[in-house]
Amino acid sequence: MKQAISRRNFFYKTAGVSAGALILPSLSGFATQRKTDANLPLIITSHTNETGQRAMEAGWEILNNGGSAVDAVEKAANVIEVDPEDTSVGYGGLPNERGVVQLDASFMDGRTYSAGAVACLENIKTPSSVAKLVMQRTDHVLLVGKGALEYARAWGFPEENLLTDKARKIWLRWKEEMSSDDDWGIPEHLQKIRKMESYWQDFPDIEHHYGTTNVLAIDKNGDIAGCTTTSGLSFKLNGRVGDSPIIGAGLYVDNETGAAGATGRGEEVIKSCASFYMVLRMKEGRTPQQACEDALRMIIDRYKKVNPEFFPGEKFVAVNKYGEVGCASMTGKRSPQMSVRTRKGYIRHEGIVAYPGK
Ligand code: ASP
């Protein structure tokens, strides 16, 4: 009797023929099916400001001309990284406690199941491009610190001072106000009559600045790529690495399912492998929106017995291979948003606050 060949059977049968030939033939089979999807190609980012929109247009131009998801993601991420006004990513990012800008970034290519990342990279404006080269041109996944810088230098990336005046002033204010027991700040006899310096009034809230960008794209072949890039948690300890360059934490891409990215308090994202979990949930049939919410709930469940009042500030984004998107944040008064660019144009997609009022 003839057995119907389901997609899964087809996959296994192909695997039986030749392990070496397994991946590419089966992937192109999936790709043909995806081409019919009206939402594709598509590019998204967690950034929704003017720079985020410009990044989407830059990435979209590549996708619209038949370019790859990898190239579109890199182009879009670079637009955000080089913007000096953006204090959360790349050039102009807020520094660590010593006033040094240390950048983290990761890249994944779903077509080839490749990943690359850099952590604690100094003096290079576009860490996502270095991460892409680690992915494409080395047999490693993660380079850190001086090694990452050496690698970037080898490829001709110019070294530049990444600390803008704006970021330096925010850092100085943090430094001066962090403690009354150190010697930063105005002399003691003037403290009672001190006035806030005028440029500091622009930065009223300096406690903990989060901010990162996730860029995820699906090209005309249905291939998926993603990048997460950040200057990390502001005023972090020297050498601290967040979730952004950790594959499975700040970013995960699976060509057969979709992709996910995280921003927010990286420590929780690392412990929960949040991006991997979101992709796993989508593989199990959850929508991208549900997957984002599932991951937030999973983190909170872990703390139920430890500290039920702990709701770390996270924002997750996800896209499945059909171009459906999702976005959720842990807390906050306003719905989280993400930028989405398809052939229908640019939209700002609104997500869900999982634990409003917390
Ligand atoms: N996730 C980043 C980190 O922990 C920071 C952020 O997204 O704001 O380094």
Side-chain angles (χ1 to χ4, degrees):
M1 200 176 91
K2 233 183 179 179
Q3 195 196 351
I5 299 187
S6 68
R7 189 192 292 175
R8 175 169 289 193
N9 280 338
F10 169 76
F11 193 84
Y12 287 145
K13 277 180 196 275
T14 315
V17 174
S18 151
L22 167 65
I23 301 300
L24 290 175
S26 57
L27 284 183
S28 60
F30 287 116
T32 313
Q33 186 191 355
R34 283 182 206 144
K35 262 187 212 168
T36 60
D37 197 297
N39 290 341
L40 304 182
L42 151 154
I43 184 162
I44 68 174
T45 175
S46 51
H47 255 57
T48 52
N49 58 8
E50 186 269 331
T51 315
Q53 289 184 41
R54 264 195 298 118
M56 290 297 85
E57 293 313 316
W60 173 252
E61 200 184 328
I62 291 179
L63 293 176
N64 200 33
N65 288 323
S68 72
V70 167
D71 289 344
V73 162
E74 180 186 21
K75 189 73 190 263
N78 286 169
V79 168
I80 301 170
E81 287 171 326
V82 301
D83 178 0
E85 287 304 310
D86 193 310
T87 54
S88 65
V89 177
Y91 176 55
L94 291 180
N96 67 14
E97 62 168 357
R98 292 188 185 175
V100 179
V101 181
Q102 289 185 332
L103 306 177
D104 294 341
S106 58
F107 220 112
M108 264 192 101
D109 175 0
R111 187 180 67 84
T112 58
Y113 191 51
S114 305
V118 289
C120 288
L121 177 63
E122 296 176 15
N123 299 344
I124 305 290
K125 274 184 172 171
T126 52
S128 64
S129 295
V130 186
K132 188 186 102 171
L133 284 166
V134 172
M135 171 177 86
Q136 292 181 331
R137 309 294 302 187
T138 78
D139 195 26
H140 304 313
V141 169
L142 176 60
L143 297 180
V144 306
K146 283 190 182 139
L149 178 59
E150 249 171 52
Y151 185 70
R153 262 196 224 124
W155 279 96
F157 285 82
E159 277 192 75
E160 295 164 76
N161 176 18
L162 304 184
L163 189 65
T164 56
D165 266 6
K166 176 178 170 184
R168 187 175 49 74
K169 284 172 181 167
I170 296 174
W171 169 72
L172 271 177
R173 178 172 166 203
W174 171 78
K175 195 84 180 146
E176 290 197 354
E177 297 198 347
M178 187 172 58
S179 161
S180 51
D181 294 334
D182 63 26
D183 296 326
W184 287 82
I186 60 174
E188 201 179 329
H189 65 282
L190 295 178
Q191 274 175 16
K192 290 247 159 61
I193 55 170
R194 71 179 293 185
K195 283 204 182 101
M196 198 188 271
E197 289 183 51
S198 62
Y199 57 76
W200 282 358
Q201 286 165 4
D202 299 337
F203 320 117
D205 172 23
I206 51 159
E207 277 299 303
H208 261 137
H209 275 286
Y210 292 114
T212 293
T213 203
N214 313 121
V215 183
L216 309 172
I218 308 179
D219 62 27
K220 73 175 189 356
N221 298 319
D223 291 320
I224 310 175
C227 162
T228 294
T229 176
T230 188
S231 51
L233 184 64
S234 54
F235 321 131
K236 59 195 175 185
L237 297 192
N238 189 38
R240 178 262 192 185
V241 174
D243 58 311
S244 307
I246 307 296
I247 300 299
L251 174 71
Y252 198 72
V253 176
D254 176 346
N255 233 36
E256 293 181 19
T257 303
T263 62
R265 190 180 142 78
E267 280 65 18
E268 305 315 318
V269 177
I270 293 175
K271 286 191 284 183
S272 61
C273 304
S275 292
F276 180 75
Y277 184 73
M278 285 184 265
V279 172
L280 197 68
R281 293 299 279 160
M282 290 193 282
K283 207 177 199 85
E284 290 166 353
R286 302 285 279 168
T287 65
Q289 183 59 43
Q290 290 167 336
C292 291
E293 294 170 36
D294 289 349
L296 293 171
R297 206 169 305 120
M298 182 259 289
I299 293 174
I300 293 311
D301 284 349
R302 294 287 174 278
Y303 282 105
K304 258 190 185 144
K305 290 192 182 136
V306 181
N307 179 359
E309 290 310 309
F310 185 53
F311 291 87
E314 316 290 2
K315 175 181 159 188
F316 296 159
V317 299
V319 59
N320 66 17
K321 65 180 178 180
Y322 307 111
E324 296 168 325
V325 299
C327 172
S329 62
M330 189 71 88
T331 58
K333 291 197 183 85
R334 283 184 305 161
S335 305
Q337 294 188 331
M338 68 197 284
S339 296
V340 181
R341 179 65 161 102
T342 62
R343 66 169 65 86
K344 292 176 205 148
Y346 172 90
I347 61 156
R348 217 175 265 157
H349 176 90
E350 211 157 90
I352 299 281
V353 181
Y355 296 92
K358 288 294 176 187

